[in-house]
Amino acid sequence: MGERDLLMIPGPIELEPSVLSRLAEKQRGHLDPVFMGRFSRTLKRLREVFQAPSAQPFVIAGTGTLAMELAAANLVQPGDHALVVNTGYFSDRMALMLERHGAAVTHVRATPGAAPSTAEVAAALATRKFQVLTVTHVDTSTGVLADVKAYASLAREHGALCVVDGVCSIGAEDLQQDAWGVDLALTASQKALGAPPGLAVVMAGPRALAAWKARTSPVRSVYLDFGEWLPVHQAYEALTPAYFATPAVNLISALEVSLELMLAEGLAARFARHVRVATAMRAGFEAMGLASLPQAGVRAHSLSALYYPAGVDAALVKAVGAQGVTIAGGLHPELKAKYFRVGHMGAVSANDVLATVSAVERSLVAAKVAVAPGAGVSAAERVLSGG
Ligand code: PMP
């Protein structure tokens, strides 16, 4: 990848220069007052981004997968039952973790590109008592956006905790954790939060913390146990020193900058920008004859997943890369070779949309696909210009 190439995969993403320059600062200790201030502000800002004033944030060195395992390890115990609203690859991963930590898992599955209906989820919840319901807000393998608000309300009605994997959504899609009754939401630093990879972010609401406190068996991992991390996070937020395991000083410092930029933009404006960008990107792809993997009505705004046209395969991803834009191949095991993905979250701009649509268009033309040069770019441009 060249220095001026554009990174348009569903994470990691292009970062704001001020976020990157934070990483190049002098190394500070984890109890340095400057760092403590940054960590404290990071925790407070995360509550705003998750729209969860009542929740406890955790920021722990690791990735989104660690955040998922923190949820599973702390909220389920052997003998529990969990319902997984399954929209693809990352829902399967969540199920694996719930099982590893002792839960019996029931899936409500949809075909790739769709989301289970609320009626299907309600019917499954009625079959027995579930301690936990999990949902992937945006499944990065299919580009499907789940109706978290509806599923969370069903979970609440049936006395199950609602856990949301927001790794590919939080910071790009509206998630109102408190208002929607989501008990635990999680993400990672490298996606729409706009920081480098390396941080697991978990926001545990009051009911999730109460369930953890009421456990009758210990969390089966010391590193994953909320009990180790809770006092440390409370101490940092209150600007008092504490230690359990060394915080990722530089990454947290970079995240602080990125969260400040997000809140300065304003959440509503940020979500609207993601809708505009996603709509323009898709208009461009559709004008080139590419079909969307996610069905209408459940398409995420943080990434797009498109089927290759006839006669084209994963070589397209390489060809687009050679045009200066890095995109991603397929991920869902059933369809992997048939589609590609384009991430558009975080600092993404109108210019990035046009560059990406143009690079795909040039690559299709070079592959002798019947696309009129400019068709995709002009359709995207019409959306961006409000036409
Ligand atoms: N959940 C979702 C929805 C994701 O998109 C990802 C990463 N692509 C993960 C979980 C796992 O995150 P990580 O790769 O940071 O471990």
Side-chain angles (χ1 to χ4, degrees), residues 110-129:
T111 51
S117 70
T118 45
E120 288 168 310
V121 174
L125 280 168
T127 59
R128 60 158 307 114
K129 166 79 185 163

Side-chain angles (χ1 to χ4, degrees), residues 230-370:
L230 185 60
V232 176
H233 281 73
Q234 286 169 336
Y236 268 102
E237 191 164 359
L239 300 171
T240 52
Y243 171 76
F244 164 56
T246 309
V249 172
N250 310 54
L251 292 175
I252 292 170
S253 299
L255 179 61
E256 188 222 354
V257 178
S258 151
L259 295 174
E260 183 178 10
L261 294 173
M262 284 173 69
L263 294 171
E265 180 180 10
L267 290 183
R270 189 176 174 89
F271 300 144
R273 175 168 57 79
H274 282 83
V275 169
R276 198 162 56 245
V277 158
T279 309
M281 191 76 89
R282 267 167 223 152
F285 291 140
E286 270 166 35
M288 289 186 258
L290 302 181
S292 165
L293 193 168
Q295 296 172 1
V298 293
R299 291 180 189 151
H301 304 102
S302 50
L303 85 155
S304 296
L306 289 309
Y307 286 108
Y308 296 121
V312 170
D313 61 15
L316 181 74
V317 173
K318 236 182 167 169
V320 175
Q323 298 287 343
V325 179
T326 305
I327 61 172
L331 182 62
H332 195 287
E334 286 169 38
L335 299 168
K336 210 175 156 80
K338 297 189 174 153
Y339 73 105
F340 67 96
R341 296 170 301 146
V342 176
H344 31 81
M345 60 187 119
V348 63
S349 69
N351 294 340
D352 300 334
V353 174
L354 294 175
T356 305
V357 171
S358 171
V360 171
E361 194 163 71
R362 281 177 277 135
S363 306
L364 290 175
V365 169
K368 309 266 184 279
V369 176

Side-chain angles (χ1 to χ4, degrees), residues 10-11 62-68 90-91 93 136-141 165-169 186 188-191 197-199 331 341:
T63 69
T65 304
L66 177 77
M68 294 165 78
F90 289 103
S91 309
R93 177 172 295 186
T136 314
H137 195 185
V138 169
D139 197 290
T140 324
S141 69
D165 171 353
V167 173
C168 200
S169 71
L186 63 94
S189 47
Q190 79 274 19
K191 302 221 185 203
L199 294 175
L331 182 62
R341 296 170 301 146

